[in-house]
Amino acid sequence: GKITDSEYWNRVSKQSGVPKKQLKGFRYALYSFSKPQAGMKELVRKIKKKYRVAVISSHVTGWVSIQDKIHGVSKEFHEQHFSYDYGVDKPDAELFIRAARKMKVNPKDCIVVDDMEKFLDSVKKTGARTILFKNAKQIKSELRKHGVKI
């Protein structure tokens, strides 16, 4: 969150000697390469009917906007919390703590699902329950073990 996406790519252009116009295509290819994991959109849609669902992410603004244009990611969650909005990044649990505070929820009432074990280890210390992401089927099973009705 200390510089904009444009500033970042301007620096990449300057330091690499690659023209900005050429990097524009590379930027789009890089940011659009990702896609939601199979089954996750459907699972999130089911969960959010009964529970508040938020995303906490370390992705940069450009990636977020392109993913939203391609996959409509933002509409799938009640809230979104990005590291660039808070000036703190994973694996620091402070990102989760600030998001929980903004949502006015107690960390102990949260289940955090992430694919970064180091982040989950730090989040556990706040009292939140955690699940290491592998795939949608596994997440569904783990959430049920935590009492989530799907």
Side-chain angles (χ1 to χ4, degrees):
K2 294 181 181 178
I3 63 172
T4 66
D5 194 61
S6 294
E7 289 172 305
Y8 171 79
W9 287 102
N10 285 338
R11 288 182 187 183
V12 169
S13 175
K14 193 173 190 177
Q15 292 175 5
S16 68
V18 176
K20 291 178 196 175
K21 190 174 183 177
Q22 197 173 352
L23 282 176
K24 187 175 181 182
F26 176 74
R27 174 188 172 272
Y28 185 81
L30 179 68
Y31 288 168
S32 63
F33 181 74
S34 298
K35 61 182 179 180
Q37 293 282 336
M40 283 307 296
K41 267 190 175 183
E42 296 79 9
L43 180 57
V44 169
R45 286 175 182 162
K46 286 179 183 178
I47 295 168
K48 83 176 199 180
K49 289 177 184 177
K50 296 181 183 178
Y51 304 93
R52 196 159 156 204
V53 181
V55 64
I56 299 175
S57 177
S58 293
H59 288 294
V60 296
T61 57
W63 184 89
V64 170
S65 65
I66 288 173
Q67 286 294 304
D68 205 31
K69 284 178 189 171
I70 296 171
H71 302 291
V73 176
S74 67
K75 71 179 179 188
E76 302 300 334
F77 298 92
H78 293 112
E79 296 184 38
Q80 297 179 81
H81 301 273
F82 299 104
S83 56
Y84 56 79
D85 290 326
Y86 295 95
V88 62
D89 200 6
K90 293 178 184 180
D92 191 337
E94 186 63 26
L95 177 59
F96 165 69
I97 292 167
R98 289 184 188 183
R101 192 176 304 135
K102 188 171 183 181
M103 293 172 19
K104 298 180 179 153
V105 296
N106 187 324
K108 292 177 182 165
D109 296 329
C110 299
I111 300 172
V112 179
V113 177
D114 203 279
D115 62 354
M116 184 188 289
E117 194 165 9
K118 195 171 182 179
F119 177 60
L120 293 176
D121 289 343
S122 64
V123 167
K124 277 182 194 173
K125 295 174 186 169
T126 70
R129 293 170 284 167
T130 62
I131 301 172
L132 182 62
F133 177 86
K134 293 177 186 158
N135 58 55
K137 185 178 177 182
Q138 168 258 344
I139 294 302
K140 192 174 184 177
S141 173
E142 294 287 327
L143 287 170
R144 283 187 171 139
K145 288 178 188 174
H146 286 286
V148 175
K149 299 193 184 337
I150 300 171

